Amino acid sequence: MRGDMKKYGLVIDLKRCYGCYSCTAACKASNNTPKGIDFAKCISGEIGTYPSAQRQMLPTLCMQCEDPECLKVCPTGATQQNEVGIVTVDKNICMGCGYCMMACPYGQRHVVSDWETYFPDAEGELDEYQSYAKEKWEGKNGYGIAAKCDFCYDSVMEGDQPACVKSCPAKARIFGDLNDPESEISVLLRRERGYQLNPEFGTNPSVYYLPAR
Amino acid sequence: MKAQTKWSWLIAAYLFLAGVGGGAFVTGAVSDFAGWSEELSRIGILLGFPCVLVGTVFLIFDLGNPKNFWRAYARPGTSWIARGTIIITIFMVVNFLYIVLWIWPFPEVIGASIPLKNFFNIFGSIFAFGTMIYTGILLGASRPIAFWSTAMLPLLFLVSAMSTGIMAVMLTSIISGSGVELSQLAIWEKIDAQLIVIEIFILLFYLQGTHRVPESRASARFVLKGSVAPLFWIGVVLLGILIPLLLEIGIFGHSNTILIVATTSGIIGGFCLRQVVLSGGIHAPLKSGRFEYYLTNV
């Protein structure tokens, strides 16, 4: 990637995250994901035993790897990486083989077979909010094909920030340009020893974490 | 730790049928090349194409967006689905031409020319080999699933594919009343028994190799003791290995009935093997500092 190009990245400060799931909710509201699908998740982890047990939340999303496994295995060319390092799926090219779901080390590929209502006991049609979400989902993603987080690409291109970043009340998520050494995230990564999840897969994720303690 | 559920029995059926088809073709080609039996050769060549074709139909059924199926050829540089699609397409074309030009409707075209026939035998066998082995490489390219991502899996699938291919040819030759004598099948029975012995060793090494990382240890536990265990012990070990091996080495003598039981059992076992490997696929956990987080959505 050329030096004058932006490469968007995200830093998640685990010291600040207290697991409120705002990112999950904001992502759902923004991307209109179907029931059971979350591009931004928050997973709870535990180690040790009483009295020295520890808990730590881990917010996850697509890591927008520089060398993505999902891109390597995609047989159709539906998976693409754009000029700012964001990995996207072209819904018109994807054939829905699911190979990316198997290959993504971070579990950030999703295939939805159909729209499911949140209120199975309710009678009649979907309510207006669900109908709206369904229509939005079908417009951008659809069924049977791979869907994923794209760092809210459309908003980011308009100079805005991803929904999960804007909504984080603890300011645990910082979004910015990894190629700019003076950007807030580059400085934070140097100062606080940011790390990537599962570096053994060699995908060089653009999402970094700052240690919890 | 949860195993993947996205790739289910449709994919297992595809992996299995691609193997049977490739194995049957090689059985036919070798029977012809070595001059063992022209009838067996015809059966093998005739079985290859339809098995792989039906397998491909299963594969297309599993796609979320089948109308884009033709795009699977687009990225042979990195994706094993694209490479595999090209391999099995060439195999099917060669096999189809072989059938058309040797068996029906134009038997005189190849029948009269031994060099041409050998060309089809050798060229077809190369791509049959590719069809058999790539299914293991395909799963192996999924690096976060350590149970699949091993050099033993392509070997395991290759040997199982060849073995089930031979059994499919033997079974068809008996039940179709083709007039092939048991004595003509004896050589293939021997080869198959040897393949099954090799398969036992590969399976043992395959399972032994799972000790390296926690997720593949979990896969092995899931397969040997967990909810996949009945399919493994009954389907793979009993039906796929013990019954065909014991019957083929002739502990109950040799007869058509015994061979029918042995081959049917072995073929079912071949399918069970693919299903067991698929259902045992567990993703690596996310590692953050000293914490490990297990994925639940794939």
Side-chain angles (χ1 to χ4, degrees), chain A residues 69 73 99 102 195 198 200, chain B residues 7 79 138 142-143 287-288:
Chain A
E69 283 293 308
V73 301
Y99 208 10
M102 301 299 137
Y195 62 91
N198 300 56
E200 69 271 22
Chain B
W7 283 357
S79 176
L138 166 90
S142 170
R143 291 169 57 219
K287 292 189 208 84
S288 167

Side-chain angles (χ1 to χ4, degrees), chain B residues 5-279:
Chain B
T5 51
K6 165 76 184 146
W7 283 357
S8 61
W9 68 271
L10 282 168
I11 297 289
Y14 161 70
L15 299 175
F16 162 71
L17 285 168
V20 172
F25 183 93
V26 173
T27 309
V30 171
S31 290
D32 181 71
F33 204 67
W36 288 340
S37 161
E38 184 163 325
E39 199 50 47
L40 275 186
S41 172
R42 276 179 211 279
I43 292 170
I45 306 297
L46 265 178
L47 269 180
F49 173 70
C51 282
V52 179
L53 186 70
V54 172
T56 313
V57 171
F58 277 101
L59 184 67
I60 295 175
F61 260 118
D62 187 69
L63 293 180
N65 193 14
K67 72 174 185 347
N68 274 350
F69 172 69
W70 58 276
R71 294 185 186 271
Y73 299 90
R75 205 175 258 169
T78 50
S79 176
W80 272 101
I81 285 190
R83 289 174 187 158
T85 311
I86 292 168
I87 292 171
I88 64 170
T89 306
I90 297 176
F91 172 71
M92 285 200 286
V93 170
V94 172
N95 196 166
F96 182 74
L97 285 177
Y98 200 173
I99 293 173
V100 168
L101 300 179
W102 183 45
I103 296 169
W104 186 87
F106 308 111
E108 61 284 353
V109 177
I110 289 181
S113 159
I114 289 180
L116 196 57
K117 205 164 171 208
N118 282 343
F119 167 76
F120 272 93
N121 280 337
I122 293 168
F123 194 67
S125 290
I126 291 170
F127 282 91
F129 177 81
T131 303
M132 289 189 279
I133 201 165
Y134 106 89
T135 53
I137 304 175
L138 166 90
L139 295 188
S142 170
R143 291 169 57 219
I145 301 181
F147 194 52
W148 298 353
S149 193
T150 145
M152 291 314 264
L153 192 61
L155 281 183
L156 182 62
F157 279 7
L158 173 68
V159 173
S160 165
M162 197 54 231
S163 163
T164 48
I166 293 172
M167 291 195 270
V169 172
M170 292 198 289
L171 179 64
T172 313
S173 77
I174 298 170
I175 58 175
S176 67
S178 62
V180 176
E181 301 281 324
L182 265 184
S183 56
Q184 285 175 291
L185 292 176
I187 178 83
W188 281 116
E189 249 185 305
K190 249 186 219 141
I191 294 175
D192 191 35
Q194 287 161 0
L195 282 174
I196 294 175
V197 172
I198 296 172
E199 189 180 346
I200 294 173
F201 280 104
I202 296 179
L203 189 61
L204 284 175
F205 287 129
Y206 174 62
L207 291 172
Q208 196 270 338
T210 59
H211 69 86
R212 269 189 55 233
V213 285
E215 61 269 23
S216 59
R217 281 202 291 276
S219 291
R221 263 198 306 279
F222 195 46
V223 163
L224 296 175
K225 298 177 196 158
S227 59
V228 193
L231 192 65
F232 176 76
W233 292 109
I234 297 173
V236 177
V237 176
L238 183 67
L239 294 179
I241 290 175
L242 289 179
I243 292 180
L245 180 61
L246 293 178
L247 294 183
E248 279 179 348
I249 58 174
I251 57 163
F252 297 113
H254 293 277
S255 76
N256 279 352
T257 322
I258 286 176
L259 200 51
I260 289 175
V261 173
T263 51
T264 310
S265 168
I267 291 169
I268 296 170
F271 172 76
C272 294
L273 176 69
R274 307 309 193 283
Q275 182 64 54
V276 161
V277 170
L278 279 185
S279 359

Side-chain angles (χ1 to χ4, degrees), chain A residues 33-204:
Chain A
T33 53
K35 186 181 167 191
I37 305 293
D38 291 304
F39 292 164
K41 263 200 155 83
C42 212
I43 324 175
S44 156
E46 236 178 77
I47 48 168
T49 48
Y50 178 82
S52 57
Q54 286 178 8
R55 291 191 77 190
Q56 178 62 52
M57 297 305 288
L58 182 78
T60 62
L61 71 167
C62 172
M63 304 282 151
Q64 317 293 351
C65 307
E66 188 175 293
D67 193 10
E69 283 293 308
C70 58
L71 180 81
K72 279 189 218 158
V73 301
C74 180
T76 60
T79 301
Q80 291 154 11
Q81 194 172 31
N82 65 24
E83 68 287 355
V84 290
I86 296 176
V87 180
T88 57
V89 179
D90 187 332
K91 70 163 186 167
N92 296 315
I93 296 179
C94 176
M95 65 176 185
C97 64
Y99 208 10
C100 51
M101 287 181 82
M102 301 299 137
C104 173
Y106 305 100
Q108 295 304 324
R109 287 291 192 138
H110 312 269
V111 174
V112 187
S113 53
D114 204 358
W115 191 269
E116 241 185 289
T117 172
Y118 285 92
F119 311 106
D121 295 334
E123 286 178 17
E125 301 279 298
L126 295 176
D127 62 50
E128 54 184 310
Y129 303 107
Q130 284 196 75
S131 307
Y132 173 82
K134 180 169 184 270
E135 194 183 303
K136 284 282 181 189
W137 175 263
E138 287 166 1
K140 191 169 176 199
N141 296 285
Y143 308 116
I145 58 169
K148 68 184 288 294
C149 158
D150 63 356
F151 265 179
C152 291
Y153 179 67
D154 296 335
S155 322
V156 167
M157 285 298 112
E158 288 166 13
D160 207 352
Q161 299 213 315
C164 57
V165 176
K166 283 194 290 183
S167 68
C168 183
K171 294 206 168 19
R173 300 165 91 100
I174 304 105
F175 183 75
D177 180 8
L178 288 169
N179 275 354
D180 173 8
E182 298 312 315
S183 68
E184 190 186 356
I185 62 169
S186 298
V187 173
L188 269 175
L189 284 180
R190 283 199 301 273
R191 204 176 61 204
E192 304 206 22
R193 293 198 200 95
Y195 62 91
Q196 298 157 318
L197 299 185
N198 300 56
E200 69 271 22
F201 290 109
T203 60
N204 194 11

